[in-house]
Amino acid sequence: MPASGRPGPSRRAWGWHRLDDAWAARIVTAAEVRPGELVLDIGAGTGALTGHLVRAGARVVAVELHPGRAALLRQRFPGVTVVQADARSIRLPGSMFRVVANPPYGITADLLHLLLTAGPRLRAADLVLQRAAVRKYASQRTPRTHRLSAGLTVPRHAFRPPPRVDSAVLLVRRR
């Protein structure tokens, strides 16, 4: 229990929906991650995407806010750098990187702003987001450095518990 004496946040308050393993594999395959590539898994949860990224040969940095899930990631993936932090305030790598992530939907705008300010260091991002957000960002005028488009549609049943909204992958590619 936190110092406040109140119970910690529930799963719903954390906004966490575990991605099904088959869908995680499909998302990583579609991202075409290369061996040795530095990949951030933002909102890593218990490692649905992390495991597939490791198997693809990526050098993975898993970012997870929840302390219990961050500890589990460290146990499950000893070769992965796990950062327990709010994704909106992480320090991005100084070298070229990419992102393959299922971040909390509530941080979409802040996260996109953070990633797009990385400029040419951000090679690509594949972000599982609310489908409405993917449509919105994919249809907007894009920054000079990156192109945004819609990728895979991810059905509600690809998550446990299923979210109340449909999801899709927002593709961010360097021009």
Side-chain angles (χ1 to χ4, degrees):
M1 206 178 288
S4 68
R6 289 177 289 209
S10 69
R11 178 178 31 198
R12 185 171 297 273
W14 283 98
W16 184 56
H17 300 273
R18 184 175 44 89
L19 185 60
D20 174 77
D21 186 64
W23 275 96
R26 190 171 173 186
I27 290 164
V28 171
T29 298
E32 299 179 346
V33 173
R34 297 182 198 139
E37 196 168 28
L38 178 59
V39 180
L40 275 61
D41 180 0
I42 299 172
T46 57
L49 291 170
T50 310
H52 293 285
L53 291 167
V54 168
R55 284 189 280 288
R59 294 179 296 126
V60 181
V61 175
V63 179
E64 176 55 50
L65 177 62
H66 189 277
R69 291 195 289 266
L72 180 64
L73 287 165
R74 286 184 185 99
Q75 289 175 342
R76 286 187 67 197
F77 306 105
V80 168
T81 300
V82 178
V83 177
Q84 184 186 331
D86 185 325
R88 295 172 291 191
S89 62
I90 60 171
R91 188 167 178 203
L92 296 175
S95 59
M96 193 170 296
F97 70 98
R98 70 174 302 152
V99 178
V100 178
N102 177 28
Y105 294 160
I107 68 166
T108 298
D110 291 338
L111 180 60
L112 276 173
H113 176 73
L114 176 70
L115 294 175
L116 292 173
T117 58
R121 292 178 301 162
L122 175 65
R123 189 176 82 69
D126 295 68
L127 304 168
V128 179
L129 304 171
Q130 285 184 13
R131 191 166 64 180
V134 170
R135 284 187 195 135
K136 172 186 166 185
Y137 288 108
S139 69
Q140 287 181 349
R141 188 167 176 238
T142 59
R144 288 184 293 172
T145 57
H146 293 85
R147 177 177 26 74
L148 281 63
S149 61
L152 291 171
T153 297
V154 184
R156 294 177 193 194
H157 70 265
F159 301 90
R160 290 291 171 258
R164 293 182 178 152
V165 296
D166 292 318
S167 301
V169 177
L170 178 67
L171 305 175
V172 180
R173 299 295 185 261
R174 193 173 62 174
R175 290 188 190 270

